[in-house]
Each structure stands twice: as C-alpha cells, then as structure tokens.
Amino acid sequence: MDKPKVVLGVSGGIAAYKACELLRRLTESGHDVRVVPTASALHFVGAATWSALSGNPVSTEVWDDVHEVPHVRIGQHADLVVVAPATADTLARAAHGLADDLLTNTLLTARCPVVFAPAMHTEMWEHPATRENVATLRRRGAVVIEPAVGRLTGADTGKGRLPDPGEIFEVCRRVLARGVTRPDLAGRHVVVSAGGTREPLDPVRFLGNRSSGKQGYALARTAAARGARVTLIAADTALPDPAGVDLVRVGTAVELREAVLGAAADADAVVMAAAVADFRPAVYATGKIKKKDGQEPEPVALVRNPDILAELSGDRPRAGQVIVGFAAETDDVLANGRAKLKRKGCDLLVVNEVGERKTFGADESEAVVLGADGSETPVAHGPKEVLAETVWDLVAERLG
Ligand SMILES: Cc1cc2nc3c(=O)[nH]c(=O)nc-3n(C[C@H](O)[C@H](O)[C@H](O)COP(=O)(O)O)c2cc1C
C-alpha cells in the first residue's frame, strides 16, 4: 500500500524548529511527507534540514521544477495538509485565498483535510483580524488547533504557544484516519470532564479514586480533531495537556461542579467522564490529623457531594444540549446502567465494568452506550480512543 501523503507547511515563526519533531513523528509512523516552508520559515530552519529529514525535495516558490507543476500537484496528491507553525500572516493569506508562494498554492489546490497549528504572540492571536481569519478557515472545514498557553518568544507568557509536536501529531493522525474534509463537530463547543476528584481530609491526605483521566483526555483529543472547541475540565491526572483544548484544572467535586456549570452555559454537549467522588469528608482538618498513643483513630464522617450529572440533565443551561454520563459499575452492569440513565435524565450513558485492573488506568476499555431513546451501542474491547469516537458519533447524530 502507498504511504499516506502528508504536506507539512511551515511558516515563519520562532516555533518552526518544533516542526522538525513533528516531521520525524510523521515519517517514522509511515507517512510520505513533503515539507513546504515559506520563505520566512527558512530564516529559522534551513531547507537542508527539511530535505534531509523528509527525504523529499524542498522549495518555497512556484518557480522551482516548473515542468512538474508543483503549485498544483503537491496539493492535489495530498491526503493531509498540516501547517505548523501557522503564522498570523499565513493564516491571513490562507483565509483570503492568496496564492503568492508554494504553500498558499498548495492550500488552494488541496481537497484533503487541512490542519493549522497557529503560534504567535497573544496580541496577534487575539487581534480581530486573526480571529476573523481563523473563523473563516474553520467555517470552510479546516481544523485550527487552539494555541497553548505558556512561555512565548521573549520573557512573556500567554496564549499563542505552539502545542507540543507529539500532540499535533495526534491531531493529524486522527484527522487523517477520519479522512473527512468537513469535521462534523466544527462550530460546536463541547465540555469534557476527566480524571478523579480528590476530597481533602487534612492538608496532606485526601479521598481519591483510580481514574487516570485517559478516557476523558481521549474524548477531548478526538473532539478537537473533529473540529470542536473543547473545554477540558481536568481533576487529578498525570497526562500531558492535549493540543487545542482549553484546559481548566480542578481538585474537588465542588470545584468540578463550578467549572462544568460555568463552561456548560454555551456548550452544545457536555461529557462527564470524570470520576467524581460521591462523598467527601464532613470535616476538613486544617492541621494534619495526628496519631494518638493507645487510641484508635476517629471514624471519618462523610457527606454527599453534589450530583453534577443529574443537575446538568435536569436543568439544561442550553436548549438542545446533549448530556453524556459515564457509569462505572462493578456488578450487574447493564441493569444498573439502565436504572442510572433514568435516574440522571441524561441523553447517553456510557456503561463500563470497572475493577482494580479493568478500565481504570488502562489504555483500553469495553462499554455499552445506552441512549435515553432506548438505543444500545456496544463498543468492543479496544483503545479508549475508539470508544471516544463512538461517543462523538452518537452526540453528533443528536446535535443534527
Ligand atoms: C524572530 C521572529 C519571530 C517571529 N515569530 C512569529 C510567530 O511566532 N508567529 C507569527 O505569526 N509571526 C512571527 N514572526 C513574524 C513573521 O515571520 C512575519 O509575519 C512573516 O512575514 C511571516 O511570513 P510567512 O507567514 O510567509 O511565514 C516572527 C518574526 C521574527 C523576526
């Protein structure tokens, strides 16, 4: 089988060096990559590097190798075009359909999925001109990954950093696998909760659970690759930040509730994949609880935490919003799942069996997605990403 053909457009931002790592990941995972840098990009990383790493010729102008008509052919034959980093200038030229170099010609002739990974100073990213250009590109079907927040070129920090190349690679892999030029969640805002809450007993101890956050992160990554604006509300997890999502970190169930309800106000869908503690210690000891000689410890009294899923489902912040819950059951899995779906009033409930070595912390899971309309969608044992794609398929169907 032919290797999938990827065009890696590189524009003239300081983060161009990070595209070398993205290029490596793409070639090492079996893609045939043609790098098309802009003339400005070559000020940051030279043509020799792109050519040696990709094993393909590199040019920036339409006037090289004219007999092969590269300004048309490169785009026509691509299975994916990814521009990383995408400067404010390149986004503007792409949005306005300019064709003044090889990269913009390629973008006009490509009929495959296109991903932009912008990187620039916060002021440039927030400028109304850039906002409008990004909105135009998204409306036309491109996946524009939200930049990360962090250190920028100088000493300053803010939104505008190129996400980790490994995370951009993950978006490319997912977009390429779906192969659609119009992502079905484009223009949608989705909220995903992930990880396990921690309920403090004292300043050093907490009640927690075994959730790793992998399922929630897989949901956030797949939604971003399907074009959604994603708010990821993350309770405890050690996972790297996914590219292109707005990440909000929380600790307790009460904090998670506040963050989810706040983000849900304008969301099209909310997926509650976090393992939210049902109970928390009734009393928080402000000093560390000490052992006392010859005395047994005091029992820990618990109180109920708010039921966020039931609250969201009963009082939807927005009409037509799709609410998805997760049920982790240890026995009588389906019967308990059906009862929970009714009790909570959500649209979809992903029911999976959990145990010490099942689902929690694992890379794979197996589940049945129950619908309030009576539907049952089994998802065979496999990567959490597959379950995530199925959840978004069902959400997209319900959003129409
Ligand atoms: C040191 C330096 C760093 C730059 N970094 C960025 C950047 O991160 N993002 C951006 O949009 N422009 C950046 N620019 C400005 C672009 O290089 C400039 O707009 C150029 O015209 C972009 O051309 P291109 O889009 O064809 O690559 C930088 C310029 C310099 C000199």
Side-chain angles (χ1 to χ4, degrees):
M1 240 175 74
D2 279 352
K3 290 178 174 182
K5 288 188 171 44
V6 176
V7 174
L8 171 59
V10 182
S11 52
I14 197 81
Y17 72 96
K18 293 190 189 169
C20 300
E21 171 66 19
L22 175 60
L23 171 56
R24 272 229 103 100
R25 294 211 181 214
L26 287 165
T27 52
E28 282 170 9
S29 54
H31 301 89
D32 178 14
V33 188
R34 178 85 196 234
V35 183
V36 183
T38 63
S40 299
L42 296 183
H43 286 290
F44 295 93
V45 179
T49 302
W50 302 122
S51 189
L53 287 179
S54 67
N56 276 320
V58 167
S59 47
T60 65
E61 303 301 332
V62 292
W63 307 112
D64 298 330
D65 305 314
V66 173
H67 62 290
E68 288 175 3
V69 224
H71 76 287
V72 177
R73 294 278 182 268
I74 296 174
Q76 278 177 337
H77 292 149
D79 297 302
L80 174 78
V81 179
V82 50
V83 185
T87 57
D89 175 66
T90 291
L91 291 174
R93 289 186 296 129
H96 290 273
L98 298 191
D100 53 357
D101 64 4
L102 189 56
L103 178 55
T104 43
N105 276 271
T106 299
L107 286 165
L108 283 183
T109 49
R111 292 294 175 268
C112 59
V114 177
V115 174
F116 291 93
M120 64 199 69
H121 264 81
T122 313
E123 292 82 351
M124 291 173 96
W125 174 248
E126 287 177 349
H127 194 283
T130 307
R131 308 304 318 139
E132 278 173 31
N133 291 331
V134 167
T136 300
L137 293 168
R138 283 185 173 147
R139 206 171 46 248
R140 288 192 199 132
V143 172
V144 184
I145 302 175
E146 286 289 305
V149 176
R151 182 92 189 258
L152 303 171
T153 316
D156 41 357
T157 58
K159 189 161 185 174
R161 217 176 130 78
L162 189 74
D164 180 68
E167 290 297 325
I168 302 174
F169 170 73
E170 282 302 316
V171 174
C172 293
R173 198 173 60 73
R174 286 175 168 85
V175 170
L176 199 49
R178 286 184 67 76
V180 293
T181 47
R182 272 208 166 266
D184 56 353
L185 295 178
R188 302 290 189 183
H189 175 211
V190 304
V191 176
V192 178
S193 72
T197 60
R198 288 179 164 192
E199 307 298 329
L201 265 168
D202 68 17
V204 293
R205 303 184 181 92
F206 58 84
L207 298 181
N209 60 62
R210 292 179 187 276
S211 172
S212 63
K214 285 180 182 170
Q215 185 63 65
Y217 273 51
L219 281 154
R221 286 195 174 94
T222 45
R226 290 168 75 152
R229 175 162 75 85
V230 183
T231 305
L232 174 60
I233 318 272
D236 180 58
T237 161
L239 300 171
D241 299 352
V245 311
D246 289 322
L247 185 65
V248 181
R249 291 204 185 273
V250 294
T252 64
V254 169
E255 288 168 10
L256 189 123
R257 174 183 172 275
E258 252 173 53
V260 167
L261 294 185
D266 73 339
D268 296 288
V270 182
V271 181
M272 289 290 295
V276 184
D278 290 328
F279 313 105
R280 66 178 182 276
V283 178
Y284 171 71
T286 50
K288 186 181 169 197
I289 301 168
K290 299 260 193 247
K291 266 189 299 195
K292 289 188 189 136
D293 283 346
Q295 280 185 28
E296 287 302 311
E298 294 287 322
V300 175
L302 300 174
V303 291
R304 287 179 83 115
N305 266 328
D307 187 336
I308 309 168
L309 182 58
E311 190 176 345
L312 267 175
S313 307
D315 188 12
R316 306 210 178 196
R318 189 173 171 179
Q321 193 172 59
V322 179
I323 311 275
V324 186
F326 271 68
E329 302 288 348
T330 50
D331 40 35
D332 225 350
V333 177
L334 269 188
N336 282 333
R338 280 196 198 94
K340 185 169 177 178
L341 176 67
K342 244 197 187 136
R343 222 171 39 243
K344 304 279 183 182
C346 51
D347 302 290
L348 295 163
L349 189 75
V350 183
V351 187
N352 45 30
E353 198 176 342
V354 293
E356 279 199 27
R357 270 171 225 86
K358 258 189 196 161
T359 300
F360 276 154
D363 290 325
E364 305 201 320
S365 73
E366 152 180 5
V368 179
V369 188
L370 303 177
D373 54 3
S375 63
E376 273 187 23
T377 312
V379 183
H381 188 83
K384 288 185 170 170
E385 189 182 320
V386 172
L387 174 56
E389 295 284 11
T390 306
V391 169
W392 292 124
D393 288 346
L394 296 169
V395 169
E397 255 173 42
R398 279 156 182 79
L399 287 173

